[in-house]
Amino acid sequence: MPDYKEPDASTIEHARSLDEQDPLRHFRAEFIIPSKADLTSPTLETQQDERSSSSSRSSPSTTTSSSSSSSSPDPSSPCIYLCGNSLGLQPRRTSALIQTHLSTWAKKGVYGHFTKMADSPLPPFMNADEVVAEQMATIVGARPDEVAIMQTLTANLHLMMMTFYRPTKDRYKILLEGKAFPSDHYAVESQIRLHDLDPDEAMILIKNEDDDTSTSTSSSSSSATHCTTSNLTTQSILSTIDHHACSTALILLPGIQYYTGQYFDMRAITAHAHSKGIAIGWDLAHAVGNVPLQLHDWGMDFAVWCNYKYINGGPGVIGGLFVHERHGRVDDDAAVEDGGAGFKAGYRGRLTGWWGGDKSVRFRMENKFIPIPGAQGFQLSNPSIIDLTALYSSLSIFNRATISALREKSVRLTAYLEHLLVLLLEGPSAFASSSTSTSTSNPAFTIITPSEPSSRGAQLSIKLSAGLLESVMKHLEEKGVVVDERKPDVVRVAPAPLYNSFEDVCAFVKVFEDALVSAVRAGEESEKKEGAVMVDGGKEEKGWAGIK
């Protein structure tokens, strides 16, 4: 781990020196970073796509280096985008590749399914899902035949539970994290009801054995800066599994908790579940593209994820699915008989569709399902080639950068962010702007993400004092800073190593400090002001609460 204790660690100059030492810094130029003018413009006519790649590398700190809250952001400079945990940025290559796909469709029509164009890097439509699955397998640590690119996260979760949740009289419970993302909770609850069971009895929410006990494992962080009592300990998870082992049919957990950013010990928890004879699946929405994974080696039964966060596939893009090879094996004669009433040995029961059938016999139209071995045998319908093209674009960048190198940079970026935030609380302030003037007994904010790098991904979740969120978010947006919030008081900040820089992090903390000063001074008046875009979006009627 790098040492950020240097006296000048909080200066823009020091941040730039860190960027100069970053071997991945050139990848930033491969993404379109919105300008501050883009964020506020009511139209798309800002010539975003015509900006040179050098503009994406230009300083985000030109409006914040003085830390003056009265300064206006330079509208032509890139925003400070630290929201890849919600929606990743667009790779520059994506637009051109999608146009290539559209041209193929325009010039070849149905022949595009089978024709490889000499001047296009894209595969024929028929094989696009296999190519992208192979790219994805490298990132998630799986065999290519264990990965399918299909559907969306919650749809895939339902498909997996139809296969892996087979309740009996004795084993009928599903263990779920107590603060799971709502869509996971809804999916589990509805699956239980579909089996005519009572969620109050069959859905077990895992909580800490002692919710008042901090789970922080870092000796370098004081209680004045970190408060991790909301994190779920591995021991609590294992103890809950032990307590309900004889009556549990399935466990579903997140790889990284969406609210706190906590990274769970998937290998240990999976092994413990299997030692009790329980199937376990993982929601990897906040883990894929964020941390290195070894899904095959860790032995999890299944996993599902979205591809619009750290993977940068675009809003609502097609999702991903992992099924361990032991569940994807298909005997030569393994087929559904009697319309699905019976299954021969070697076949894992599932909901089926024609895209999961053997390509060599798919067009015989014999109404006899011959599954593709592996995860791709769980596919239902033709995947969107536009979606797959967007993923192909981003995953090509990932595999050039490598997930291991990205994780190394991510650890450094988040540690730097953490260090600068701690400086704000432990003061006197290392920045030029006013102090937040808060005591350590009642700080303006605390960090609720674990301080130990192995227990978190890129994201730090910052819990503000009551009443500060709306004012802080409004100030950040006015200064061209993009993060997201979770009501009533949490700001989530996620430096993405593919396109974020140390200068981004330093510039954010400077603006964040000014936002805190302004919010503390404003007090209750902040609640009367017009809400910010992201804050208003957090209200249920506007839908932001439904975006992970």
Side-chain angles (χ1 to χ4, degrees):
M1 282 293 297
D3 182 7
Y4 296 124
K5 305 300 183 182
E6 300 93 335
D8 64 344
S10 59
T11 66
I12 289 292
E13 291 73 22
H14 181 76
R16 289 173 179 166
S17 72
L18 295 175
D19 285 327
E20 290 173 0
Q21 302 169 42
D22 173 21
L24 302 179
R25 62 187 180 278
H26 60 285
F27 284 106
R28 178 179 173 92
E30 299 197 30
F31 290 84
I32 300 174
I33 300 176
S35 71
K36 293 167 184 175
D38 290 336
L39 296 179
T40 57
S41 174
T43 71
L44 298 176
E45 296 178 1
T46 56
Q47 298 182 345
Q48 164 73 65
D49 297 331
E50 297 179 9
R51 292 207 311 267
S52 66
S53 61
S54 62
S55 71
S56 69
R57 294 192 296 268
S58 61
S59 170
S61 61
T62 53
T63 64
T64 59
S65 57
S66 66
S67 238
S68 172
S69 59
S70 62
S71 63
S72 299
D74 177 2
S76 65
S77 64
C79 71
I80 303 171
Y81 194 92
L82 298 169
C83 206
N85 60 323
S86 188
L87 179 66
L89 290 179
Q90 182 184 136
R92 291 184 177 275
R93 193 183 181 208
T94 297
S95 179
L97 284 174
I98 288 178
Q99 186 56 55
T100 297
H101 160 65
L102 294 176
S103 296
T104 304
W105 176 25
K107 295 184 177 183
K108 292 295 180 181
V110 72
Y111 292 162
H113 282 89
F114 316 103
T115 305
K116 176 69 176 75
M117 305 304 296
D119 56 350
S120 169
L122 300 175
F125 307 161
M126 180 70 74
N127 302 326
D129 56 333
E130 293 180 1
V131 171
V132 176
E134 186 170 352
Q135 289 179 304
M136 183 65 72
T138 302
I139 294 173
V140 301
R143 293 164 41 123
D145 62 355
E146 293 177 315
V147 175
I149 304 301
M150 56 184 278
Q151 306 297 328
T152 53
L153 191 155
T154 303
N156 284 333
L157 179 55
H158 274 296
L159 291 173
M160 290 295 93
M161 286 195 287
M162 292 301 292
T163 290
F164 289 96
Y165 180 52
R166 300 295 182 91
T168 66
K169 180 180 178 181
D170 296 323
R171 286 181 176 257
Y172 58 92
K173 294 177 181 176
I174 299 179
L175 304 190
L176 181 69
E177 179 214 354
K179 297 180 180 179
F181 186 73
S183 194
D184 288 0
H185 189 107
Y186 303 154
V188 167
E189 188 173 47
S190 65
Q191 287 283 334
I192 290 172
R193 292 188 187 279
L194 279 174
H195 289 278
D196 295 324
L197 297 172
D198 185 353
D200 290 339
E201 297 179 359
M203 184 166 63
I204 304 300
L205 302 182
I206 305 175
K207 301 178 181 179
N208 277 332
E209 295 169 320
D210 182 356
D211 286 338
D212 296 325
T213 301
S214 174
T215 64
S216 177
T217 59
S218 173
S219 59
S220 63
S221 299
S222 68
S223 59
T225 61
H226 291 71
C227 181
T228 57
T229 56
S230 59
N231 292 322
L232 190 59
T233 66
T234 299
Q235 185 55 50
S236 291
I237 296 172
L238 301 186
S239 295
T240 304
I241 293 173
D242 289 342
H243 183 73
H244 296 277
C246 294
S247 54
T248 296
L250 179 66
I251 300 170
L252 176 67
L253 292 170
I256 291 181
Q257 216 279 344
Y258 82 98
Y259 185 82
T260 66
Q262 179 187 5
Y263 181 17
F264 290 103
D265 190 343
M266 289 186 271
R267 183 172 191 166
I269 296 169
T270 296
H272 193 75
H274 287 167
S275 74
K276 305 297 180 181
I278 306 171
I280 183 168
W282 294 86
D283 175 347
L284 302 181
H286 287 265
V288 170
N290 184 1
V291 294
L293 301 167
Q294 295 296 328
L295 304 189
H296 175 83
D297 291 346
W298 294 344
M300 54 192 58
D301 297 288
F302 71 88
V304 295
W305 61 89
C306 55
N307 286 309
Y308 52 78
K309 301 180 186 298
Y310 298 99
I311 294 295
N312 311 306
V317 75
I318 195 168
L321 172 73
F322 166 86
V323 179
H324 198 277
E325 66 171 342
R326 65 179 173 271
H327 302 303
R329 293 172 180 165
V330 176
D331 295 337
D332 290 341
D333 62 344
V336 179
E337 299 177 340
D338 300 324
F343 299 92
K344 292 191 176 182
Y347 181 84
R348 188 81 184 190
R350 68 196 74 177
L351 296 179
T352 57
W354 86 308
W355 209 254
D358 187 337
K359 290 183 179 181
S360 67
V361 298
R362 182 178 291 165
F363 289 95
R364 291 180 184 176
M365 307 300 178
E366 294 177 341
N367 290 336
K368 182 178 181 181
F369 184 67
I370 307 296
I372 300 172
Q376 292 174 30
F378 287 81
Q379 296 177 109
L380 299 180
S381 302
N382 310 44
S384 164
I385 305 303
I386 289 182
D387 281 33
L388 292 173
T389 300
L391 278 184
Y392 178 90
S393 171
S394 182
L395 293 177
S396 297
I397 300 174
F398 261 96
N399 287 324
R400 282 192 286 119
T402 74
I403 191 66
S404 59
L406 288 168
R407 172 60 171 169
E408 182 178 351
K409 177 181 176 180
S410 178
V411 169
R412 288 167 52 84
L413 273 175
T414 303
Y416 184 53
L417 171 62
E418 179 184 43
H419 176 64
L420 297 186
L421 289 172
V422 169
L423 284 180
L424 291 186
L425 292 173
E426 293 186 340
S429 176
F431 300 117
S433 64
S434 303
S435 169
T436 56
S437 301
T438 56
S439 67
T440 57
S441 61
N442 185 29
F445 68 90
T446 55
I447 300 170
I448 63 173
T449 307
S451 186
E452 176 59 45
S454 63
S455 296
R456 68 187 184 201
Q459 173 183 320
L460 285 188
S461 295
I462 304 169
K463 185 173 184 179
L464 305 179
S465 294
L468 298 184
L469 180 65
E470 184 171 353
S471 179
V472 167
M473 288 296 295
K474 187 173 179 65
H475 185 100
L476 292 175
E477 289 177 14
E478 288 174 348
K479 298 301 180 180
V481 176
V482 183
V483 292
D484 81 349
E485 52 82 25
R486 285 295 177 266
K487 284 182 176 284
D489 49 26
V490 169
V491 177
R492 304 189 307 172
V493 186
L498 266 177
Y499 50 76
N500 282 129
S501 65
F502 289 90
E503 186 173 351
D504 284 336
V505 168
C506 188
F508 159 74
V509 175
K510 288 178 179 293
V511 179
F512 180 64
E513 181 184 18
D514 283 340
L516 284 175
V517 172
S518 176
V520 170
R521 289 175 177 171
E524 295 182 356
E525 293 182 5
S526 64
E527 298 180 359
K528 302 177 183 179
K529 296 180 180 179
E530 180 181 355
V533 175
M534 297 286 274
V535 174
D536 277 355
K539 297 176 182 178
E540 189 63 33
E541 63 268 22
K542 295 205 175 179
W544 182 253
I547 298 177
K548 203 170 189 181

